[in-house]
Amino acid sequence: MSSPDYIDLSPSPLALLEALRSIGYTLDTALADIFDNSITAQATSISVQFLWNQGEPWLAVIDDGKGMTAEGLVHAMRFGSKNPMEARDPNDLGRFGLGLKTASISQCRRLTVVSKKNGKLSGCEWNLDSVLGEKADRWYAGFLSGETLSEDEFLCSFAAERLGDKKSGTIVLWRNLDQLIDRFGQAEAESAFSKLLDDSRHHLELVFHRFLSPEGGQRKIRIDFNGSELEAFNPFNSSHSATQELPSHTFFVEGKPVTVQPVVLPHHAKLSREEYEKYAGPGSYLHNQGFYVYRNKRLIIKGTWFRLIKKEELNKLIRVRVDIPNTLDHIWRIDIRKSQATPPESVRRELKQIIARIESAGKKVYRQRGSVTARGRAVPVWARRAAEGTVFYEVNDEHPAITSILQDSPPDSRKRFKDCLALISSTLPYDLLYHDSADDNTDLEYPEVDRERLLAIGRVIAKTLAEGGTPEKEIPERLLGIEPFSRIPDLVDEIFTKVGGIRCLKKSKA
């Protein structure tokens, strides 16, 4: 068979660039894409600066990340600078190698990027009016050397002000924001500009809340709009004592973990009116129930059940955090704007099972105002594991009651104890449990444990926490976050009233 004759069908820059401007970015999703690059560049501070400038508005995103060399900058300004199928660093928030360019030109006709690395400043620019003019048939970007940089007085002074005293960093500057003027008209554009930026601020406080207020050991990133610092908005209201974090579940797809954390928000009776309305979010609790999918801790999609169930009033307090790594992008079908994702069938099956387990908890809170529970996820005695459609349960050897025994045991006894736990895990009677749970005439209950025995276990855990340096006032709350004490809060009170508090626990070691 003869090979076909190959002909050059390179896309027309004029046609393709104008088409790329209409992918569907809004100002907030465009800014989020720029932030992704800054975070990937290990920035600790991101500043958005903007000015209406008497009808010629501009906007700049400045970060203190590791910056780019001239060669690196030119590569970054190429459309499709990285194959989305290539392996990425686990902390990389990029995807298609298009975000910087497509996000920017969706909002402006002149994109200029200036970056500093190793004390050297480099610049590169896409000016659509130039590309679509005399160079309309070629993909020409402008490289800004020292001389050409100095000719642009605004850019030169701005770069000196923002990057002059920094070892490294990057400025993404948008000028000629034609989409804004064309959409609203000159008379309304200034107020629309302010409104869009205010809405974008709220959007970014949600999308990047896990960077603005990171979990233990994570890097914090400061973000500001014209000097006004953004405040993290956690849609799960995790700091409230009436928020219920149900047991989390981790399953594996292609050997990579997907972690699901269900949360039931507090009933309105436990919140002030202001706080209740704040956490309702745009469109109300009914609209914002469902899964919140995070890719490398960055929110991708929120408030959806992926059509696994319908949104209904009784489920409106349920929100479920789903954490996925960037190594599963190909099966989640992440879009260019990184604002949509579709789970594969294997994930949908797991999520559907999780929904079935959590619906009753959310409905109970909605109907009965809920019950007081410890803040944070209860440490389970039994850990659920899932991989490629197979689910099994095993005794959680990280449960404090178990770790306290392991810590106090000699090596030989420790090994025999672990072997015993493995034996118990391997003999869980799944068939009987399945049969009993499916029988409508049978109620499954926890076996009754002698209260004195539970008190003794609780005292051991409390003493271990105290000796490990946990502050006295935090120990009761820590116990309330551990099974079975999370289900029996009055038992925790008794542990401390009977033995006279933490100091007594510490002394009892002697």
Side-chain angles (χ1 to χ4, degrees), residues 14-26:
L14 186 149
L16 187 55
L17 284 172
E18 288 296 344
L20 288 173
R21 302 194 76 201
S22 304
I23 283 178
Y25 279 100
T26 54

Side-chain angles (χ1 to χ4, degrees), residues 462-498:
K463 186 171 72 169
T464 303
L465 291 171
E467 291 168 352
T470 301
E472 290 184 17
K473 62 182 180 181
E474 292 182 15
I475 292 180
E477 188 173 356
R478 289 283 298 275
L479 269 178
L480 284 169
I482 299 169
E483 285 189 345
F485 306 101
S486 57
R487 301 194 307 268
I488 321 169
D490 63 311
L491 196 68
V492 175
D493 293 335
E494 191 173 345
I495 288 170
F496 297 99
T497 56
K498 269 199 170 185

Side-chain angles (χ1 to χ4, degrees), residues 66-347:
K66 58 186 179 183
M68 293 175 278
T69 62
E71 181 181 2
L73 176 57
V74 169
H75 177 72
M77 292 291 273
R78 183 189 302 275
F79 282 83
S81 57
K82 187 161 186 176
N83 183 342
M85 301 308 293
E86 289 181 10
R88 289 182 176 270
D89 182 277
N91 298 313
D92 191 343
L93 295 180
R95 170 68 175 137
F96 294 96
L98 288 169
L100 168 63
K101 288 77 64 176
T102 53
S104 297
I105 66 171
S106 73
Q107 305 300 310
C108 71
R109 297 190 67 81
R110 188 178 182 187
L111 160 66
T112 310
V113 180
V114 176
S115 196
K116 186 177 185 182
K117 190 177 181 72
N118 300 327
K120 293 183 179 179
L121 209 62
S122 308
C124 196
E125 178 176 273
W126 280 107
N127 188 328
L128 300 196
D129 294 323
S130 296
V131 171
L132 306 184
E134 60 185 71
K135 305 291 186 183
D137 60 336
R138 303 291 296 274
W139 289 86
Y140 277 112
F143 182 75
L144 307 178
S145 61
E147 184 177 339
T148 49
L149 263 173
S150 61
E151 291 174 0
D152 187 332
E153 292 184 12
F154 172 77
L155 180 63
C156 188
S157 62
F158 193 77
E161 178 187 351
R162 297 292 171 176
L163 297 180
D165 60 348
K166 294 180 180 177
K167 294 181 180 179
S168 61
T170 298
I171 297 172
V172 176
L173 175 63
W174 296 348
R175 288 179 283 188
N176 193 354
L177 282 79
D178 63 321
Q179 298 288 70
L180 183 71
I181 305 296
D182 293 346
R183 180 180 170 190
F184 295 101
Q186 189 72 43
E188 301 174 352
E190 183 174 4
S191 60
F193 183 57
S194 298
K195 176 68 166 57
L196 285 171
L197 284 163
D198 192 48
D199 291 344
S200 296
R201 179 191 182 103
H202 296 310
H203 175 78
L204 297 167
E205 287 177 330
L206 169 62
V207 170
F208 295 98
H209 75 89
R210 295 172 74 182
F211 296 90
L212 292 165
S213 181
E215 297 147 0
Q218 300 293 322
R219 174 170 54 103
K220 177 177 173 143
I221 297 176
R222 181 189 185 278
I223 303 175
D224 73 78
F225 270 38
N226 274 357
S228 175
E229 191 169 347
L230 271 62
E231 297 180 5
F233 176 72
N234 182 336
F236 307 104
N237 198 1
S238 300
S239 62
H240 198 284
S241 60
T243 298
Q244 297 184 34
E245 288 192 3
L246 305 179
S248 66
H249 305 273
T250 298
F251 56 90
F252 292 82
V253 180
E254 297 186 0
K256 304 298 189 297
V258 175
T259 301
V260 182
Q261 173 64 69
V263 171
V264 182
L265 298 180
H267 188 272
H268 69 81
K270 297 182 182 247
L271 301 172
S272 67
R273 182 178 183 83
E274 181 183 2
E275 187 176 12
Y276 185 77
E277 291 177 354
K278 174 183 176 181
Y279 285 94
S284 80
Y285 282 94
L286 182 65
H287 176 73
N288 290 302
Q289 65 182 271
F291 294 109
Y292 285 63
V293 180
Y294 292 79
R295 174 181 178 267
N296 290 5
K297 302 189 184 302
R298 190 264 212 208
L299 185 64
I300 296 290
I301 186 171
K302 72 180 182 73
T304 176
W305 289 121
F306 295 121
R307 298 187 179 179
L308 295 171
I309 60 170
K310 291 182 179 179
K311 290 186 174 181
E312 59 176 334
E313 187 72 13
L314 290 177
N315 288 331
K316 73 178 188 178
L317 297 179
I318 302 175
R319 295 179 184 177
V320 185
R321 190 178 81 194
V322 181
D323 278 299
I324 64 173
N326 61 9
T327 46
L328 293 179
D329 284 354
H330 60 293
I331 62 171
W332 276 82
R333 289 184 280 172
I334 307 288
D335 73 344
I336 288 177
R337 296 169 296 148
K338 296 195 284 292
S339 61
Q340 293 293 328
T342 305
E345 189 57 35
S346 60
V347 173

